[in-house]
Amino acid sequence: MTTTFPAPTHAVDVDGVRERVDAALSRFLDMQEDRYRAMAADDTGRAQWAAAIDTLRSFLIGGKRLRPAFCYWGWRGAGGDADDEGIIAAAAALELLHAFALIHDDIIDESDTRRGAPSLHRQHADLHHTERMRGSSELFGTSVALLLGDLCLAWFHELLGSSGLPQQRLAAVQPMVAQSFAELVLGQYLDVAEQARSTHSVERACTIIHYKTAKYTIERPLHLGGLLAGADAALLDSYTAYALPLGEAFQLRDDVLGVFGDAAITGKPVGDDLRTRKPTVLLATTRRRADAAQLDEVDRAFAAGDLDDEQVRRIQSIVVDSGALAECERLITRRADSARDALAAMRVPNHVHGMLTELLTAATDRAW
C-alpha cells in the first residue's frame, strides 16, 4: 500500500527533495510490510502486522523533514550529484531514526499527542482497550510503541546500508553515525535527569539542546551528507560552525512554541511544555529572572499536579513579565546571526549557500 506524504506549506524544497524522500520512505515501508507479513503465523497475525505498519506510515506523514534537507544539502555542498537517488535514500533513513527518537520520547514524556494526532503508544493502548484484550492497556501500548521504535532504528541502518551509495563511503560514515546516536542518547538522558530535579538550570538546559537538538538535527545530517560525498575536514568544520548555533536557535524557538504556540499549527496542546514540566532554557530562564512572588506561584502550580487552562495562562504571563521570553528571543537572534556569519565564510557553491540560508530562516522564524 503506497502512501503519499503531503508537504506542509512551510517546506523549503528545491530539487524535489521532500517528494523524493517521501517516495523512498513509502517504497521502503511497502517492502517491509510484504516481508514481515510472510513471517506471521496466520491471517490474524498478518492483519495485526499490517495495522502496525499503517500506524508507522501515519506517524511518518508530515514533519519538518529538516534532517533529510540538511543531509541532502550537505551532500550537494561537497559536490554530490543532484540526481543521485542514493543520497535520497540516505536522507530518508534519517526520518526513520527520527521516528525512533520521537516514539521513545513520547513514552518518556508521557505525551499523548504528536503532530496533532494520538502518539503511537496512545494509539495502541486505545486499540487494546477497544478490543478488550487481556492485561493492561497502558502496558500494551507502551510495549508495542517501544518495539516499533526499535524497529525504526533497525530500519534506519538497513535503508542507509542499502541506499546504493559506494560501500567505501558507507563504511566511512559508520563511526560518525555511532557517535551521533550516542550523542542523542546522552542528550535524552540529560533531559530525563533534569526533569527529575526540583529546580532547572539554564546551563544544563543549554547542554541538553546542544546534544539532543543542535548536533542531532543539523550538524550530523550535514556531516552525513558531506561525508557520503567525500567532504574534507575543512568543509565538515564549516558545517559545524553553522550547524551548532543554528540548532540551538531551532530548539530555543521550539521552547517558545512549547509555551505559546498555536495548537492548530504545532499539533501539541497550548502550553504543553508547561504541563509536562519540560526543563527548557525558557522555563529555566523564567525561574532565574522571576521575583520571589512569581517564583512561588510557579512552584505552587507545578506542585499541584495537572495544570488547568488558567494556571497555564498565569505562568505564560510570568514568562513574559519576568523578561524571560524577551531574553530567549535575543538568544535566538544571536545564535541565528552566528550561524549566518559561519555560512558567509563557508566554501560551497552559490546555490547551496542560498538553500542553507533558506533553511536557517525556516528553522528559526516559524510558528510550527
Side-chain angles (χ1 to χ4, degrees):
M1 175 180 141
T2 300
T3 301
T4 300
F5 298 86
T9 57
H10 56 255
V12 175
D13 195 23
V14 174
D15 292 348
V17 175
R18 166 177 282 275
E19 182 178 345
R20 292 162 70 191
V21 164
D22 290 346
L25 280 173
S26 184
R27 289 192 300 270
F28 184 79
L29 289 175
D30 289 345
M31 180 185 73
Q32 298 301 337
E33 184 175 349
D34 291 342
R35 173 192 292 179
Y36 286 91
R37 186 187 291 118
M39 295 169 59
D42 53 26
D43 288 343
T44 298
R46 283 187 282 274
Q48 289 172 333
W49 175 249
I53 291 294
D54 279 344
T55 64
L56 281 179
R57 290 181 189 275
S58 297
F59 191 85
L60 285 162
I61 288 175
K64 304 174 185 70
R65 297 291 193 261
L66 282 176
R67 292 159 194 84
F70 281 116
C71 179
Y72 176 80
W73 290 105
W75 160 273
R76 294 297 306 282
D81 186 350
D83 295 327
D84 194 316
E85 287 304 308
I87 190 57
I88 296 299
L94 289 175
E95 284 297 297
L96 292 167
L97 177 63
H98 192 45
F100 151 79
L102 292 181
I103 291 166
H104 284 221
D105 201 39
D106 285 344
I107 293 169
I108 291 169
D109 290 344
E110 299 180 309
S111 180
D112 286 341
T113 59
R114 169 67 62 181
R115 297 171 181 162
S119 53
L120 217 59
H121 66 273
R122 175 48 48 204
Q123 289 182 48
H124 287 281
D126 290 345
L127 173 68
H128 183 282
H129 177 75
T130 299
E131 296 195 1
R132 299 183 179 181
M133 298 180 184
R134 293 177 57 192
S136 164
S137 294
E138 296 303 315
L139 178 59
F140 179 83
T142 297
S143 299
V144 173
L146 283 171
L147 292 170
L148 291 176
D150 291 345
L151 194 58
C152 286
L153 178 59
W155 284 350
F156 157 72
H157 290 290
E158 180 179 347
L159 183 53
L160 177 62
S162 63
S163 62
L165 291 167
Q167 287 300 313
Q168 183 179 2
R169 293 275 172 83
L170 289 170
V173 303
Q174 287 308 310
M176 187 277 293
V177 168
Q179 184 177 353
S180 176
F181 184 71
E183 290 163 353
L184 173 61
V185 172
L186 172 62
Q188 184 64 69
Y189 168 77
L190 293 173
D191 194 15
V192 169
E194 187 67 0
Q195 288 188 57
R197 300 176 190 271
S198 57
T199 59
H200 299 156
S201 155
V202 173
E203 291 74 22
R204 290 193 299 266
C206 286
T207 300
I208 291 168
I209 67 174
H210 175 79
Y211 287 106
K212 192 177 175 184
T213 304
K215 295 180 78 65
Y216 162 69
T217 299
I218 301 178
E219 183 196 36
R220 294 312 189 183
L222 279 169
H223 282 183
L224 178 62
L227 285 168
L228 289 171
D232 60 22
L235 180 57
L236 296 177
D237 286 346
S238 70
Y239 283 171
T240 294
Y242 162 83
L244 293 183
L246 177 56
E248 291 171 6
F250 172 78
Q251 183 58 56
L252 290 167
R253 176 59 62 206
D254 256 15
D255 289 358
V256 172
L257 294 173
V259 175
F260 298 99
D262 183 343
I265 299 175
T266 65
K268 288 282 191 177
V270 174
D272 192 54
D273 283 0
L274 299 177
R275 299 178 192 277
T276 60
R277 281 67 164 171
K278 193 172 180 65
T280 63
V281 172
L282 179 59
L283 293 184
T285 302
T286 300
R287 294 189 63 87
R288 175 180 285 182
R289 296 181 63 99
D291 61 31
Q294 291 171 327
L295 188 56
D296 181 65
E297 184 173 356
V298 171
D299 286 343
R300 282 189 289 107
F302 280 176
D306 293 339
L307 301 180
D308 60 31
D309 290 345
E310 178 56 29
Q311 287 172 312
V312 167
R313 284 191 290 270
R314 282 294 307 139
I315 298 175
Q316 286 174 327
S317 296
I318 291 171
V319 173
V320 174
D321 295 342
S322 67
L325 176 59
E327 183 171 333
C328 196
E329 290 290 351
R330 286 193 294 271
L331 289 174
I332 292 170
T333 298
R334 285 201 291 268
R335 280 162 171 76
D337 287 345
S338 293
R340 202 169 282 110
D341 290 343
L343 182 56
M346 190 184 294
R347 299 176 68 85
V348 292
N350 287 339
H351 65 282
V352 176
H353 189 283
M355 280 307 306
L356 292 178
T357 300
E358 288 196 44
L359 286 167
L360 187 157
T361 301
T364 57
D365 184 15
R366 58 193 171 90
W368 40 276

